[in-house]
């Protein structure tokens, strides 16, 4: 079996004139934490959308565990073990935080039991444990639409984690999370994922988080991967600094980026 | 606490129905019809949890009633007719649901209406089979093998309706608290997340839809055996509207709401129709308007408010 858990080749997707994916080749390696960075509109979310079956690329292939997942519905892809959290949290707003996570547990264990309650002891306990890990224990009884942005974000991730995926794709997991809590939360999240052998891809704008937790960094720019490698090397590159860490936006020319720093894996 | 209160209220309701039926013989018929409609409205309530309103559930009510009308001559046994009506309405619900569960909101509502109107015109036009608008007379079937006097039969129908109302009420209550019921409520707020959790939202809605059709069929069978005259009017869109009306009047917050709504509706209808033959529909309209404006939780929400409990939210 290959070392790549997820394998994307030649992904193309344009929205009108906008090339959101313009030849994406990427191997996500088993067990790694891969950070995706890049300016707004570079196509980071589009990549996650294609990998989870929400968008279908116009060209190219995606394989998971060596099998093509192209054309599968999100539901089928999730069942194969790819979980996802969202840039804008996708919560069941009329349910409590606990119920949101319990629904994820139910989705994993089998939702088709019409007579036993969702909050049966085993599922309530598991959901409570997951919430505790994310520091959300005190909010368990709160309705999801009453949360602040950070808590919504964490609930969203907690739901994805509760599905126990083998590959977890996270879209800006720390945006909206208070700076004071950010590192502690990512720390816990990273520990949980490492302990359970989960491979993770996360889109991230905070370079401290990237530096600390990513094994590799992929730099997205105008639908392409402009650079790929260990954070130490990639983040030190002046072109990357200009494009991503410095002035952001599509105005900053991608032309200055090197075609790709040799993909040495840490 | 909530559970205890609901059980007490349900027991109180059962006792109230029995006492009223004992004291006033003419109420036996009215209450049986009200309980039957309450069972059908439980199905409307399920779909409301998913944010969907069916304007076509008269289809299932009339299916159940016509199953009774067609089969009663050859199979005169209430306790067989009821499950058969449930089964056939459930099957029709499955076939229609496979198509309808793809649609949401106004499309879901209107397609339900469209299918029920097709059924209505079939009932009207296929005179050889259905005797058109004249309808079909139903001879009282046996109940548990017993050929009853008319008075005993009316009682038996009321008791059957009461037992089924309690049974389906408990079933729906458990269903709503179950993962399937909670996922149903998830369709209302974030359907795509269900898909991203590996759950088919369509199947979640379909399951609830089939259950709602089945309950509609049971309700229709009770109506058919109680009125003993089945006409296409049962399939007409006004009957569907009535079920939605009762759902809103009673409140969608709990399984007792539909029965509160149905009993109130039938009583207002009977009294208002007797007192103001011309204006009773206007009276019902005003009642509905007041409920929507001042008590969005319906009668059930008002009752919980009186008892000092929070109304409304999903269990
Ligand atoms: N469904 C869509 N329909 C039309 N255009 C889209 C769609 N999804 C993305 N785009 C466009 O594709 C480009 C890439 O968008 P994408 O959301 O992938 O960027 P991103 O890298 O995630 O940006 P951000 O950091 O702002 O989240 C943008 O120009 C966006 O407007
Ligand atoms: Mg994005």
């Amino acid at each position: 079996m290959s070392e790549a858990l997820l394998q994307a080749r030649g992904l193309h997707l344009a929205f009108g004139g906008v090339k959101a994916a313009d030849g994406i080749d990427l191997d996500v390696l088993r067990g790694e934490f891969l950070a995706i960075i890049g300016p707004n509109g570079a196509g980071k979310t589009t990549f996650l959308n294609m990998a989870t079956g929400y968008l279908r690329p116009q060209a190219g292939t995606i394989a998971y565990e060596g099998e093509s997942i192209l054309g599968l519905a999100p539901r089928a892809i999730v069942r194969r073990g790819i979980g996802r959290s969202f840039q804008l949290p996708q919560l069941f707003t009329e349910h409590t935080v606990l119920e949101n996570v319990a629904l994820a547990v139910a989705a994993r264990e089998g939702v088709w039991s019409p007579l036993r309650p969702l909050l049966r002891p085993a599922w309530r306990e598991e959901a409570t444990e997951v919430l505790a890990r994310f520091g959300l224990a005190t909010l368990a009884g709160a309705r999801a639409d009453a949360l602040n942005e950070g808590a919504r974000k964490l609930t969203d991730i907690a739901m994805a984690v509760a599905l126990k995926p083998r590959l977890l794709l996270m879209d800006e997991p720390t945006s909206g999370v208070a700076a004071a809590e950010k590192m502690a939360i990512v720390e816990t999240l990273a520990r949980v994922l490492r302990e359970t052998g989960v491979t993770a891809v996360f889109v991230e704008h905070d370079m401290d988080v990237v530096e600390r937790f990513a094994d590799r960094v992929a730099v997205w720019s105008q639908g392409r991967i402009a650079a790929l490698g260990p954070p130490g090397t990639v983040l030190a590159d002046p072109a990357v600094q200009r494009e991503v860490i410095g002035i952001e936006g599509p105005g900053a020319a991608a032309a200055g980026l090197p075609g790709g720093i040799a993909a040495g894996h840490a | 606490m909530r559970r205890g209160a609901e059980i007490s209220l349900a027991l109180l309701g059962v006792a109230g129905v029995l006492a009223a039926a004992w004291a006033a013989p003419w109420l036996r018929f009215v209450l049986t019809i009200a309980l039957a409609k309450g069972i059908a409205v439980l199905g409307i309530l399920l779909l409301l949890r998913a944010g969907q309103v069916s304007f076509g559930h008269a289809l299932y009510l009339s299916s159940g009633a016509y199953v009774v009308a067609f089969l009663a001559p050859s199979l005169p046994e209430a306790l067989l007719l009821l499950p058969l009506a449930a089964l056939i309405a459930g099957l029709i619900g499955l076939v229609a649901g496979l198509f309808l569960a793809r649609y949401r909101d106004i499309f879901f509502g209107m397609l339900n209406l469209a299918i029920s109107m097709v059924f209505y015109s079939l009932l009207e036009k296929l005179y050889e089979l259905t005797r058109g608008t004249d309808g079909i007379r139903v001879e009282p079937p046996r109940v548990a093998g017993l050929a009853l006097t008319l008075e005993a039969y009316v009682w038996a129908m009321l008791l059957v309706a009461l037992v089924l109302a309690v049974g389906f009420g408990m079933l729906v209550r458990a269903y709503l608290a179950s993962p399937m019921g909670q996922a149903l409520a998830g369709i209302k707020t974030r359907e795509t997340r269900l898909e991203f959790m590996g759950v088919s939202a369509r199947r979640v809605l379909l399951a609830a839809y089939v259950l709602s059709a089945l309950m509609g069929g049971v309700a229709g069978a009770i109506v058919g055996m109680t009125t003993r005259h089945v006409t296409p009017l049962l399939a007409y869109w006004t009957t569907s509207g009535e079920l939605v009306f009762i759902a809103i009047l009673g409140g969608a917050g709990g399984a007792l709401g539909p029965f509160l709504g149905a009993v109130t509706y039938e009583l207002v209808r009977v009294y208002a129709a007797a007192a103001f033959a011309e204006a009773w529909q206007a009276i019902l309209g005003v009642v509905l308007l007041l409920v929507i404006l001042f008590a969005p939780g319906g009668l059930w929400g008002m009752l919980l408010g009186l008892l000092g409990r929070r109304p409304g939210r999903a269990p």
Side-chain angles (χ1 to χ4, degrees):
Chain A
M1 190 162 279
S2 81
E3 228 202 313
L5 186 59
L6 188 78
Q7 209 164 33
R9 288 289 175 273
L11 297 181
H12 280 267
L13 183 57
F15 299 106
V18 181
K19 290 180 175 170
D22 189 17
I24 298 290
D25 295 313
L26 182 66
D27 282 0
V28 177
L29 307 177
R30 214 174 279 279
E32 77 170 333
F33 286 2
L34 174 72
I36 294 179
I37 63 174
N40 295 115
K44 306 180 296 294
T45 299
T46 300
F47 173 69
L48 300 192
N49 281 339
M50 290 187 296
T52 52
Y54 188 67
L55 291 176
R56 196 186 170 130
Q58 287 149 349
T61 59
I62 313 181
Y64 174 70
E65 294 273 28
E67 280 176 44
S68 172
I69 54 169
L70 208 63
L72 293 184
R75 180 159 36 96
I77 291 178
V78 169
R79 291 228 193 90
R80 292 192 177 200
I82 302 182
R84 167 173 190 188
S85 75
F86 297 83
Q87 188 167 347
L88 295 173
Q90 302 287 306
L91 308 182
F92 301 113
T93 46
E94 292 183 6
H95 285 86
T96 65
V97 171
L98 183 70
E99 286 165 346
N100 268 272
V101 177
L103 264 167
V105 174
R108 188 195 77 213
E109 291 284 320
V111 89
W112 307 108
S113 71
L115 296 178
R116 294 180 60 206
L118 169 69
L119 293 178
R120 56 195 75 175
W123 292 1
R124 176 194 283 272
E125 200 172 301
E126 181 177 342
T128 307
E129 264 170 40
V130 173
L131 287 179
R133 278 197 222 134
F134 285 90
L136 292 168
T138 54
L139 291 174
R143 250 174 75 135
D145 57 2
L147 304 177
N148 64 32
E149 200 196 337
R152 267 191 281 143
K153 203 84 202 199
L154 292 178
T155 306
D156 190 73
I157 300 167
M159 290 166 78
V161 167
L163 289 170
K164 297 198 174 161
R166 272 174 299 143
L167 171 62
L168 179 57
L169 311 175
M170 291 175 281
D171 204 345
E172 307 194 9
T174 69
S175 74
V177 178
E181 314 167 2
K182 194 184 266 189
M183 279 301 173
I185 282 160
V186 182
E187 191 95 50
T188 331
L189 177 61
R191 198 182 63 239
V192 171
L193 298 181
R194 292 252 191 251
E195 277 169 10
T196 46
V198 176
T199 306
V201 175
F202 59 106
V203 176
E204 184 58 70
H205 284 297
D206 184 326
M207 292 308 133
D208 293 336
V209 173
V210 171
E211 213 153 352
R212 182 122 160 234
F213 296 101
D215 299 312
R216 290 195 303 158
V217 184
V219 182
W220 244 251
S221 171
Q222 300 188 351
R224 295 173 157 276
I225 298 179
L228 178 67
T233 323
V234 171
L235 297 183
D237 187 291
V240 171
Q241 286 183 348
R242 219 173 29 245
E243 165 101 357
V244 184
I245 308 168
I247 315 137
E248 290 199 346
L257 287 169
I261 297 161
H265 172 53
Chain B
M1 281 284 43
R2 174 77 180 274
R3 181 185 165 80
E6 236 175 307
I7 291 173
S8 322
L9 282 173
L11 288 175
L12 211 66
V14 168
V17 165
L18 289 174
W22 190 269
W26 66 272
L27 270 179
R28 288 166 204 163
F29 176 85
V30 175
L31 288 172
T32 307
I33 299 295
L35 288 168
K37 285 188 182 164
I39 293 171
V41 173
L42 282 173
I44 302 289
L45 178 140
L46 275 184
L47 300 174
L48 277 175
R49 272 309 154 91
Q52 307 305 315
V53 186
S54 163
F55 288 111
H57 261 49
L59 167 61
Y60 304 108
L61 204 72
S62 54
S63 306
Y66 273 93
V67 166
V68 166
F70 288 138
L71 296 185
S74 51
L75 191 76
E77 168 56 59
L79 299 189
L80 291 177
L81 289 171
L82 278 164
L84 274 172
L87 182 73
I88 290 170
L91 283 175
I92 297 174
L94 178 63
V95 174
L98 280 170
F99 164 69
L100 290 166
R102 299 161 180 266
Y103 297 91
R104 298 289 177 273
D105 306 327
I106 191 72
F107 302 103
F108 180 85
M110 290 297 123
L111 285 170
N112 269 288
L113 175 64
I115 294 176
S116 76
M117 286 312 281
V118 169
F119 191 68
Y120 170 78
S121 50
L122 286 178
L123 290 176
E124 222 188 10
K125 298 279 151 48
L126 299 177
Y127 189 87
E128 299 293 310
L129 202 63
T130 65
R131 274 172 249 159
T133 43
D134 297 346
I136 304 175
R137 284 202 56 78
V138 179
E139 288 305 315
R142 290 159 193 261
V143 182
L146 303 171
L148 300 170
T149 64
L150 196 58
E151 197 196 344
Y153 178 77
V154 171
W155 265 115
M157 279 300 117
L158 176 63
L159 291 178
V160 164
L162 202 52
V163 167
L164 288 172
V166 171
F168 280 113
M170 281 165 42
L171 175 68
V172 164
R173 195 179 186 287
Y175 192 97
L176 288 175
S178 81
M180 285 171 84
Q182 296 289 318
L184 199 60
I187 291 179
K188 184 173 161 196
T189 50
R190 201 68 78 195
E191 178 165 350
T192 44
R193 184 63 188 246
L194 283 178
E195 298 285 329
F196 277 106
M197 299 197 314
V199 175
S200 164
R202 265 186 211 173
R203 261 173 242 165
V204 169
L205 185 57
L206 178 62
Y209 191 84
V210 171
L211 178 54
S212 76
L214 184 151
M215 291 190 293
V218 168
I222 298 172
V223 169
M225 290 189 290
T226 305
T227 59
R228 288 180 278 129
H229 187 204
V230 175
T231 71
L233 195 62
L234 268 178
Y236 200 55
W237 65 269
T238 49
T239 308
S240 298
E242 195 177 87
L243 298 179
V244 175
F245 183 113
I246 294 172
I248 293 166
L249 179 67
L256 280 172
F259 298 104
L260 265 177
V263 170
T264 309
Y265 176 86
E266 290 298 321
L267 289 179
V268 169
R269 199 165 77 128
V270 168
Y271 278 109
F276 323 92
E278 304 301 315
W280 71 271
Q281 279 159 325
I283 292 173
L284 278 172
V286 171
V287 168
L288 185 67
L289 207 63
L290 290 176
V291 165
I292 290 175
L293 287 177
F294 299 109
L299 296 172
W300 173 239
M302 280 167 67
L303 189 65
L304 286 183
L306 288 178
L307 297 174
R309 286 166 211 281
R310 278 182 304 119
R313 220 190 66 76

